[in-house]
Amino acid sequence: MYRAAVIGLGRMGSTFDDEIQQGGSIFLPYCHAPSYVASPHTELVAGADLHAEQGAIFAQRWGLSAQQIYSDYRDMLAAEQLDFVSICTTARHRAAIMKDAIEAGVKAIWAEKPITLSLAEADDVIDLGARNGVAIAVNCSRRYSPFLSEARRMAQQGELGELLQITAYTECYISHNGSHAIDTMRYLVDGDVDWVFGEMESDEEAAGEEDLRGNGYLAFENGVRGFIRAMPTGAAPWEFDLIGTEGRVRSLANGTDTQYYRWVPGGLRDEGLPARAPFPLPLSIQGTGLSVISDLVKAIETGSDPRCSAEDGRKALEIAVALRESHRQGGRRVDLPVADRSLRILSVEIGGDAVPARVRRLRQKPVVA
Amino acid sequence: MPEKEFRAAVIGLGRMGSTFDDEITRGGQFFMPYCHAPTYTASPHTNLVAGADPHAEQGEIFAGRWGLERGQIYADYREMLQAEQPDFVSLCTTARHRAAIMIDAINAGVKAIWAEKPFTLSLAEADEVLELSTRKGVAIAVNCSRRYNVSFNQARRMVDEGELGEILQITAYTQCNLSHNGSHAIDAMRYLVGADVEWVFGEMESDERAAGEQDLMGNGYLAFDNGARGFIRGSPTGAAPWEFDLIGTEGRVRNLAQGMETQYYRWVPGGLRDEGLPARAPFPLPTHIPSSGLSVIEDLVDCIKTGKQPRCSGLDGRKALEIAIAMRESHRRGGRRVDLPLTDRSLRILSSEIRSDAVPARVRRLQSNRVAA
């Protein structure tokens, strides 16, 4: 059994699964603590959080004793000799914590997204992780979705023919949930992005470093083209559309529906019709978090890259930064990689991060007496 | 033949002028009659009185099929315009000569022109035709037929009446050359959004194609002046043939597989965190489904009588061409956004349909489908 600990004992570290009422996008257990508890590979042995009340709630819920909870994660890393560490804090400190965890000798890191705020931070972490042979999985969870994994299998085995287009309607800030959207596009297309064109919501937002919404056109090296709409999407919430010469997979309504289309005879001039066929389900579907842990165990034991690696996390960030650069440069295509590594996006999730999100939410919803 | 109000003639007696409807085996994208001669024949407003084509055999086939006398068929359209004084004239020739013929028809005193697409090859030609037709009060409808398609009309009505909420996005998967069938794709996007394009970004199929004047495939990002954004994929679309996806805050309409299916989605309670789910509801059909071609004629009759602009006007035809050219300019400038309108009016696209236009398309098709002896 690998010894696992969580840093940041709030929503993603502990309670996120409580919010989910329907499977599809994710299956439970999904977030960190419940996954470590349920996995046959791991034992949850510790948690760290600056806020004492967060630690107390976490200990209670996951059956840890008071001394297994640390207010300083560095003390925990030194004391607990961890194999796995989850980084569920605000993204503001993620790079620093990842580096401390790598240097403390952990075998695997399961990090929330975005991987870092700046490209330089991501470069540092990836370099250090590679030197120390630490497996880093970024929690872009759609890589662990049975449906999207199946779509990618269909693409790789030629069932969709030559891939042509990936479209994402994913209302989001381009670093925060944009990490998911951009990573999923790369995952489905199985190619890297050569250049992008982007439009942000306003010139003012594009000029700043705060997280922001925007749209983009992505040119993949394998010839596929991508369109992402991260501006508001109205009646098309979180959708991916993967189009090939022979078939098409659409993941709809935040992953709650997946559709598969392929050609049948017919049509206006007998040129064929794309008809909906049952989407091929895999033989088993496990909790999303358990898939991440199995993937990291494999990475530890065989040296393979995690399915969503730190490199993937960096690329999602770099594409988001490049979309913003395109707008900053007056609307022109921007080639990757981005030369200026100091560029960063202050992921929207770091706003107000001095107070735990749980407490902020309690303040927003005052209880009627 | 019963006397009807308007005298109509067709110039270019081939596929769109005469026989296109024979190819269509099911409704959806079009309802019959659609192309020019069968529509004039069926309309209660028009009598088909003449046709013009430089190829004698085309004229004979046309006369035979539509019951015209030899004297009603002309080799030179200018002679026909002079002799027949038509009220309506359809321009179904190669696009190469469309501007010149429109100008001659306007000068000959026709009341309405029903022109095939693309409107013209160059922006300057389009400007000239529009200036002249405005001065002479001639109604010009460009045959971007989706404006006369019942499903698109319903979608636009839903937009106008707020049923889709604020319009956010129009996506078109429309494999085409950007002038030829791109005329349809771009015009349908403008029609559905109900707004104009301020700037575009485009990527063409290659630098070589973008540098030339030949019609070409490409993709583009369109910024509309009402805040909606458009994405068009004119490069190959595989398993997503001719599709339009119109997304608003409250609802969504998808027109699929060349118009053979239309889907409507709107919010219902539910979803992952009870944030709502877009559920499919029956697409609201109108109480009556008109034929595509007859709708054009009704529209033009209305224009003649009231002075209004046709639903797909010459202005719309020029805008589709201008957007296609701007997308190509964007590529030519190394992938920069390009603002509309374009200042260089000499820019043009040699629509792919003008290739080999010295020989009628019917004859070219016979030559390419040689019958085994």
Side-chain angles (χ1 to χ4, degrees):
Chain A
M1 291 278 263
Y2 291 105
R3 292 170 60 76
V6 177
I7 302 174
L9 306 180
R11 186 171 179 234
M12 282 310 299
S14 180
T15 64
F16 185 88
D17 293 5
D18 300 346
E19 301 172 27
I20 306 304
Q21 301 171 359
Q22 183 179 349
S25 170
I26 46 193
F27 290 96
L28 306 189
Y30 165 57
C31 81
H32 299 249
S35 295
Y36 285 133
V37 169
S39 170
H41 301 292
T42 53
E43 184 183 5
L44 179 63
V45 298
D49 199 299
L50 291 174
H51 305 278
E53 195 187 359
Q54 296 289 96
I57 295 170
F58 188 85
Q60 167 83 26
R61 176 154 185 175
W62 304 111
L64 299 185
S65 62
Q67 58 276 32
Q68 290 174 291
I69 303 295
Y70 296 78
S71 63
D72 188 328
Y73 72 88
R74 282 162 294 214
D75 292 342
M76 180 187 77
L77 290 170
E80 297 284 351
Q81 296 300 305
L82 302 166
D83 303 306
F84 274 68
V85 67
S86 276
I87 303 180
C88 308
T89 63
T90 167
R92 190 188 299 279
H93 308 300
R94 195 159 296 140
I97 300 175
M98 281 198 277
K99 286 200 279 185
D100 286 338
I102 294 167
E103 286 176 338
V106 302
K107 296 190 174 76
I109 293 175
W110 179 11
E112 273 307 312
K113 49 83 218 167
I115 181 168
T116 56
L117 302 183
S118 75
L119 296 174
E121 285 173 339
D123 294 344
D124 260 11
V125 168
I126 288 172
D127 177 58
L128 188 65
R131 259 190 294 127
N132 288 274
V134 176
I136 304 177
V138 178
N139 198 30
C140 285
S141 50
R142 283 166 185 77
R143 291 214 181 218
Y144 299 94
S145 148
F147 304 105
L148 296 175
S149 300
E150 193 65 13
R152 170 148 149 152
R153 182 199 61 71
M154 293 164 83
Q156 288 182 328
Q157 296 185 354
E159 291 171 28
L160 305 181
E162 183 195 345
L163 289 186
L164 302 170
Q165 174 76 29
I166 176 74
T167 298
Y169 300 130
T170 49
E171 179 173 341
C172 62
Y173 289 88
I174 61 175
S175 168
H176 180 227
N177 282 325
S179 304
H180 284 306
I182 294 167
D183 181 63
T184 301
M185 295 172 83
R186 285 188 61 246
Y187 177 60
L188 291 173
V189 166
D190 196 12
D192 266 318
V193 172
D194 275 339
W195 59 264
V196 306
F197 173 87
E199 184 198 12
M200 302 297 105
E201 277 198 319
S202 72
D203 292 344
E204 295 66 38
E205 287 181 280
E209 289 193 317
E210 297 297 324
D211 211 349
L212 69 178
R213 295 194 287 205
N215 303 332
Y217 181 85
L218 277 55
F220 287 86
E221 65 191 355
N222 61 0
V224 175
R225 292 299 178 257
F227 171 66
I228 175 171
R229 182 182 173 96
M231 291 186 194
T233 54
W238 276 72
E239 175 167 323
F240 295 95
D241 197 343
L242 180 66
I243 301 169
T245 51
E246 301 303 324
R248 173 180 191 179
V249 175
R250 299 177 73 222
S251 169
L252 303 173
N254 230 325
T256 50
D257 188 17
T258 309
Q259 299 180 344
Y260 168 48
Y261 294 84
R262 63 183 179 197
W263 291 106
V264 294
L268 207 63
R269 299 185 186 87
D270 214 20
E271 292 154 346
L273 277 174
R276 187 167 168 194
F279 184 76
L281 289 175
L283 291 168
S284 74
I285 294 180
Q286 67 176 344
T288 310
L290 299 183
S291 299
V292 178
I293 293 174
S294 305
D295 189 35
L296 278 171
V297 167
K298 182 168 142 240
I300 292 170
E301 292 174 0
T302 70
S304 63
D305 284 330
R307 205 184 298 169
C308 185
S309 67
E311 183 63 41
D312 295 318
R314 174 167 65 181
K315 283 189 166 153
L317 177 63
E318 190 156 6
I319 290 165
V321 166
L323 289 170
R324 187 187 62 187
E325 281 304 291
S326 173
H327 186 112
R328 284 181 176 178
Q329 293 174 21
R332 66 179 313 159
R333 72 177 248 187
V334 168
D335 294 329
L336 297 179
V338 173
D340 181 355
R341 309 306 287 180
S342 73
L343 292 170
R344 61 182 191 161
I345 299 177
L346 301 176
S347 178
V348 70
E349 59 154 76
I350 74 173
D353 60 6
V355 176
R358 180 182 56 80
V359 178
R360 279 179 274 149
R361 231 168 282 140
L362 285 174
R363 286 177 189 162
Q364 273 173 4
K365 291 184 184 164
V367 179
V368 178
Chain B
M1 196 183 289
E3 252 336 284
K4 301 184 202 169
E5 191 174 1
F6 296 108
R7 294 166 57 77
V10 177
I11 301 174
L13 306 180
R15 187 171 177 233
M16 282 311 299
S18 179
T19 64
F20 184 87
D21 293 7
D22 300 345
E23 301 172 25
I24 306 304
T25 53
R26 60 187 281 180
Q29 182 181 339
F30 318 103
F31 291 94
M32 304 293 117
Y34 165 58
C35 82
H36 299 248
T39 299
Y40 285 132
T41 301
S43 169
H45 301 289
T46 52
N47 270 327
L48 179 63
V49 299
D53 199 300
H55 305 279
E57 195 186 359
Q58 296 288 96
E60 272 169 43
I61 295 170
F62 188 86
R65 176 152 184 176
W66 303 108
L68 298 186
E69 305 294 325
R70 174 163 294 192
Q72 293 173 289
I73 302 293
Y74 296 78
D76 187 329
Y77 72 88
R78 282 160 293 217
E79 285 175 26
M80 180 194 77
L81 289 169
Q82 192 140 44
E84 300 284 348
Q85 295 293 306
D87 303 304
F88 275 68
V89 68
S90 277
L91 273 70
C92 308
T93 64
T94 167
R96 189 188 300 278
H97 307 300
R98 196 159 294 140
I101 300 174
M102 282 195 278
I103 289 167
D104 286 338
I106 295 166
N107 285 326
V110 302
K111 295 189 175 76
I113 292 174
W114 179 12
E116 272 309 311
K117 49 84 217 165
F119 188 50
T120 57
L121 302 183
S122 77
L123 295 174
E125 285 173 341
D127 294 344
E128 193 184 348
V129 170
L130 286 171
E131 192 276 323
L132 184 67
S133 66
T134 305
R135 201 144 40 80
K136 303 265 187 171
V138 175
I140 304 180
V142 179
N143 199 31
C144 285
S145 51
R146 284 166 187 77
R147 290 208 185 225
Y148 299 94
N149 172 287
V150 63
S151 299
F152 285 78
N153 295 161
Q154 278 298 97
R156 171 66 185 260
R157 181 196 60 69
M158 294 165 86
V159 171
D160 290 341
E161 296 181 5
E163 291 172 27
L164 304 183
E166 182 195 343
I167 298 302
L168 302 170
Q169 175 73 30
I170 176 76
T171 298
Y173 299 130
T174 48
Q175 179 174 335
C176 59
N177 285 316
L178 289 177
S179 168
H180 181 227
N181 282 326
S183 303
H184 284 307
I186 295 166
D187 182 63
M189 294 172 84
R190 285 186 62 246
Y191 176 62
L192 290 172
V193 168
D196 263 320
V197 172
E198 283 184 332
W199 60 264
V200 307
F201 162 83
E203 185 198 11
M204 303 296 106
E205 54 187 306
S206 71
D207 291 345
E208 295 67 39
R209 303 283 298 178
E213 289 193 317
Q214 296 299 323
D215 211 348
L216 71 177
M217 286 179 161
N219 306 329
Y221 180 81
L222 278 55
F224 288 88
D225 58 12
N226 65 352
R229 292 296 180 261
F231 171 67
I232 174 171
R233 185 182 170 98
S235 52
T237 54
W242 277 70
E243 174 167 325
F244 295 91
D245 196 345
L246 180 66
I247 301 169
T249 50
E250 301 303 323
R252 173 180 190 176
V253 174
R254 299 177 72 221
N255 183 271
L256 303 173
Q258 289 263 26
M260 284 180 281
E261 184 180 350
T262 307
Q263 300 180 342
Y264 169 46
Y265 294 84
R266 63 182 178 197
W267 292 105
V268 294
L272 209 59
R273 300 185 186 86
D274 215 19
E275 291 153 347
L277 278 173
R280 187 168 168 194
F283 184 74
L285 288 176
T287 51
H288 163 78
I289 295 187
S291 107
S292 310
L294 295 179
S295 298
V296 177
I297 307 264
E298 292 288 346
D299 190 33
L300 280 170
V301 167
D302 201 20
C303 294
I304 292 170
K305 293 187 171 165
T306 69
K308 78 172 186 68
Q309 283 288 326
R311 202 182 303 163
C312 186
S313 70
L315 290 164
D316 295 315
R318 177 169 66 181
K319 283 190 165 152
L321 176 64
E322 192 156 3
I323 290 164
I325 289 175
M327 284 166 50
R328 187 186 63 187
E329 282 303 290
S330 172
H331 186 113
R332 285 181 176 179
R333 295 177 197 174
R336 267 192 177 285
R337 79 177 240 187
V338 169
D339 294 328
L340 297 178
L342 291 168
T343 46
D344 181 356
R345 309 306 287 180
S346 72
L347 293 169
R348 61 180 192 164
I349 299 177
L350 301 176
S351 178
S352 47
E353 61 154 73
I354 73 175
R355 240 177 295 138
S356 324
D357 59 4
V359 177
R362 179 183 56 80
V363 178
R364 277 180 277 148
R365 229 167 283 140
L366 285 174
Q367 286 166 353
S368 64
N369 296 334
R370 268 177 220 290
V371 180

